[in-house]
Amino acid sequence: NAGVMQNPRHLVRRRGQEARLRCSPMKGHSHVYWYRQLPEEGLKFMVYLQKENIIDESGMPKERFSAEFPKEGPSILRIQQVVRGDSAAYFCASSPQAPQETQYFGPGTRLLVL
Amino acid sequence: KQEVTQIPAALSVPEGENLVLNCSFTDSAIYNLQWFRQDPGKGLTSLLLIQSSQREQTSGRLNASLDKSSGRSTLYIAASQPGDSATYLCAVMGAGSYQLTFGKGTKLSVIP
């Protein structure tokens, strides 16, 4: 059973471009969470999704950020018009049945905005 | 709002020593507490998960304790090895929540 997969592992964007981060949860997992780790900071919750539904996006910036988890395919975290402050590691986690079960983390995507 | 603090921020010990990492949280209404290991440029590896009804969990040379009433957890590493060098993260899940609240971590260096 493959673990949580994220791609790309590293992403470089210039200011104003768009960044798309992908997350494939573990097989059988229907709950996906995105966290962001800014330099020298702890991981912070961004959004929680189930298939085709956003359950809680309270941790996500109101502008430029969006997330989806379609019926088919990976979960996508999209950042429009990136700024240097978006440079961070973005981690995806998944859990199998209930949202309070153990969350399994992917390797993360390191985003660098030039 | 839950806040998680880890002390110390960094720790350097000689190989073979036993050590303790500390984690404190402000809201004792938690569902579980989890310790992770993070290697540079890598993802998070779950080490131990303690449910709120439990007092401790053990895995090999690792032992984690939880005192929910005082808002504290410790991770004990016995007979440390250079391969234990990493950043150790503590995270709590609030009761009725699904968000993990993380501390900033303790960066451990085990010197051969």
Side-chain angles (χ1 to χ4, degrees):
Chain A
N1 189 5
V4 177
M5 300 178 68
Q6 291 188 249
N7 66 80
R9 295 290 304 276
H10 299 273
L11 183 61
V12 179
R13 285 287 178 265
R14 296 192 181 278
R15 282 177 296 169
Q17 291 184 320
E18 179 180 288
R20 281 185 178 239
L21 288 62
R22 294 174 183 77
C23 168
S24 296
M26 290 178 70
K27 187 176 180 181
H29 287 198
S30 57
H31 303 261
V32 166
Y33 317 81
W34 286 91
Y35 292 82
R36 177 168 68 172
Q37 186 177 36
L38 293 167
E40 308 303 322
E41 294 290 326
L43 278 80
K44 301 276 193 241
F45 168 82
M46 298 181 73
V47 61
Y48 161 42
L49 310 100
Q50 293 182 24
K51 281 287 187 182
E52 299 186 274
N53 289 302
I54 297 174
I55 307 301
D56 180 357
E57 55 183 350
S58 60
M60 203 151 66
K62 296 289 188 286
E63 297 180 354
R64 302 187 297 108
F65 285 71
S66 62
E68 63 178 14
F69 188 17
K71 186 177 180 180
E72 301 291 337
S75 175
I76 306 286
L77 180 66
R78 181 184 178 201
I79 312 173
Q80 295 178 290
Q81 299 177 315
V82 296
V83 300
R84 287 201 174 131
D86 296 332
S87 296
Y90 292 82
F91 291 94
C92 167
S94 70
S95 65
Q97 302 288 342
Q100 289 195 323
E101 291 189 27
T102 302
Q103 295 179 16
Y104 298 85
F105 282 78
T109 294
R110 270 80 184 166
L111 172 65
L112 176 63
V113 180
L114 301 177
Chain B
K1 179 186 172 186
Q2 179 75 269
E3 292 184 3
V4 179
T5 303
Q6 291 188 246
I7 295 174
L11 180 65
S12 184
V13 301
E15 181 177 2
E17 272 205 4
N18 303 324
L19 60 100
V20 174
L21 307 180
N22 297 292
C23 171
S24 62
F25 47 94
T26 54
D27 186 349
S28 61
I30 66 169
Y31 184 73
N32 61 45
L33 182 144
Q34 202 162 357
W35 283 93
F36 293 89
R37 168 184 173 141
Q38 184 177 26
D39 292 281
K42 300 289 179 62
L44 279 64
T45 301
S46 179
L47 298 173
L48 290 165
L49 183 147
I50 311 177
Q51 300 291 352
S52 62
S53 58
Q54 298 175 320
R55 298 283 291 184
E56 66 177 346
Q57 282 286 340
T58 298
S59 176
R61 295 183 293 109
L62 305 179
N63 176 276
S65 68
L66 173 64
D67 184 343
K68 198 172 68 167
S69 60
S70 68
R72 296 185 182 186
S73 175
T74 61
L75 179 66
Y76 174 83
I77 302 177
S80 59
Q81 302 171 358
D84 295 330
S85 297
T87 296
Y88 290 80
L89 301 174
C90 171
V92 300
M93 183 177 289
S97 178
Y98 37 73
Q99 300 180 18
L100 286 170
T101 301
F102 283 83
K104 292 185 179 182
T106 294
K107 185 174 182 179
L108 173 66
S109 298
V110 180
I111 311 302

